[in-house]
Amino acid sequence: MAERITGHTELIGLMAYPIRHSSSPAMHNEAFATLGLDYAYLAFEVDNSTLEDAIKGLRALKMVGSNVSMPNKTVVGQYLDELSPAAEMCGAVNTIVNDNGKLIGHITDGIGFMQALKDNDIDVIGKKMTICGAGGAATAIEIQAALDGVKEISIFNIHDKFWDNAVETVKKINEKTECKATLYDLDDKEKLKEEMDSSYLFVNGTGVGMKPLEDLSVVPDKSFFRPELIVVDVPYSPLETKMRKMAKEAGCKTMNGLGMMLFQGAAAFKLWTGKEMPIDHMKEVLN
Ligand code: NAD
């Protein structure tokens, strides 16, 4: 690293708190080194109380850009000059691009999800999907899927603090895209089965299956899965959730959350550098 950094090296940040556990710095710096690009990616402990100053710093230092994670994703938009259509609709930003002094906010989580599907030869465009979740990850997926041309999305969530967010998401999708979105109560398992039965793709976009909810599943049992249904998990720790294990046993093709994580990073990498992340190499390094 000491040999690689020069007076010309450009800086890209990651602003979040807590953030020291993140794998993004290792991922991006490995990709820069592999392609011989003169950038460095560093994580900064920034929360809502220091976010405005951090963005001023990004401008003053002429940084190339930054990733933004919790608790800043839904707050940072007000300090930027422009938002991508998806970031505007999600009300969240995970990537900032400094375009000659103009700061543009993007959300690449949904782009990453859609790209991970493509990478697994899953084509949901023009088809119906059912998804559980109304938090940050699920909302980004739902909005991007609708923008990209998914025909119909059935969204399920429990009646918690995310419910109103789901109501908003459904409204925005129905008003601003060609996709038809409908919201259902996740406690209505009969409806869940009905919607899964008429879907090409089923996605768990909740925290269920991930620590500390690793013993739970949004789908009660194997009878909900037919072999033709493609089943995708957004959580990735542990990689094998109870839900995906059941789906596999029922004969379904499945995908874990790692692809979405890799491709959301690749989309940000492309926005900053104009180059494709070396995906095959990154898959080897991440595994
Ligand atoms: P969030 O806190 O914004 O949303 C949590 C969601 O889980 C909400 O829809 C909530 O209603 C639901 N939920 C919580 N407890 C539940 C329960 N007991 N039963 C049913 N639903 C419940 O979280 P998020 O940022 O959207 O993340 C959701 C999951 O996706 C997490 O596991 C996170 O680690 C993962 N994630 C993965 C990626 C990726 O790249 N693969 C990216 C972001 C998040």
Side-chain angles (χ1 to χ4, degrees):
M1 192 64 157
E3 284 166 16
R4 199 169 77 73
I5 303 284
T6 71
H8 296 279
T9 307
E10 304 261 19
L11 179 60
I12 297 172
L14 165 58
M15 300 175 182
Y17 186 85
I19 199 55
R20 294 295 174 210
H21 63 281
S22 171
S23 51
S24 292
M27 176 169 80
H28 285 289
N29 288 313
E30 176 67 25
F32 298 147
T34 304
L35 296 185
L37 299 175
D38 200 4
Y39 298 89
Y41 182 108
L42 288 181
F44 299 103
E45 289 184 326
V46 174
D47 63 12
N48 289 176
S49 70
T50 51
L51 183 60
E52 185 174 6
D53 285 345
I55 297 299
K56 281 183 185 162
L58 186 157
R59 279 186 205 274
L61 298 175
K62 299 191 176 75
M63 286 168 61
V64 170
S66 184
N67 272 142
V68 179
S69 195
M70 294 315 283
N72 303 322
K73 280 175 130 174
T74 54
V75 180
V76 74
Q78 64 188 303
Y79 307 125
L80 307 178
D81 302 311
E82 202 177 297
L83 296 179
S84 72
E88 178 91 54
M89 277 178 79
C90 288
V93 166
N94 80 330
T95 303
I96 301 169
V97 176
N98 185 352
D99 183 7
N100 291 313
K102 184 157 105 182
L103 301 190
I104 305 169
H106 298 261
I107 182 103
T108 65
D109 293 320
I111 298 172
F113 176 84
M114 296 303 287
Q115 192 59 40
L117 292 184
K118 252 188 219 161
D119 191 54
N120 279 274
D121 297 321
I122 301 167
D123 181 11
V124 68
I125 305 306
K127 298 175 188 150
K128 172 172 174 175
M129 69 187 253
T130 292
I131 176 166
C132 298
T139 303
I141 291 169
E142 289 151 12
I143 299 271
Q144 194 66 47
L147 287 171
D148 285 1
V150 169
K151 190 172 159 210
E152 198 178 335
I153 306 179
S154 292
I155 300 172
F156 284 81
N157 211 74
I158 55 173
H159 265 281
D160 62 358
K161 64 175 181 177
F162 293 97
W163 181 264
D164 290 348
N165 193 38
V167 172
E168 271 300 299
T169 301
V170 163
K171 192 164 168 263
K172 283 182 207 163
I173 288 175
N174 287 332
E175 278 174 12
K176 297 188 179 172
T177 76
E178 300 297 310
C179 176
K180 177 178 178 288
T182 314
L183 175 61
Y184 301 100
D185 189 338
L186 183 54
D187 287 335
D188 185 349
K189 299 301 181 199
E190 208 174 301
K191 194 72 201 167
L192 178 65
K193 172 117 182 26
E194 202 180 303
E195 293 307 295
M196 286 172 73
D197 280 347
S198 56
S199 291
Y200 165 80
L201 180 71
F202 174 73
V203 183
N204 169 32
T206 71
V208 177
M210 189 136 167
K211 287 174 196 145
L213 305 174
E214 70 264 38
D215 294 331
L216 301 179
S217 163
V218 287
V219 179
D221 61 63
K222 258 195 279 184
S223 71
F224 282 65
F225 298 109
R226 64 186 203 286
E228 304 76 37
L229 183 67
I230 296 171
V231 177
V232 175
D233 246 339
V234 174
Y236 53 84
S237 173
L239 261 188
E240 178 80 353
T241 64
K242 188 177 168 187
M243 186 216 49
R244 223 158 48 79
K245 192 164 174 284
M246 282 196 293
K248 275 187 194 168
E249 283 167 9
C252 302
K253 174 173 177 164
T254 71
M255 186 178 101
N256 65 37
L258 271 190
M260 172 175 168
M261 203 201 45
L262 175 61
F263 283 103
Q264 63 76 30
F269 187 91
K270 178 97 190 268
L271 284 168
W272 295 318
T273 67
K275 304 264 192 295
E276 299 294 340
M277 187 179 259
I279 290 292
D280 289 341
H281 175 67
M282 300 318 298
K283 279 183 186 165
E284 269 171 40
V285 174
L286 284 176
N287 278 328

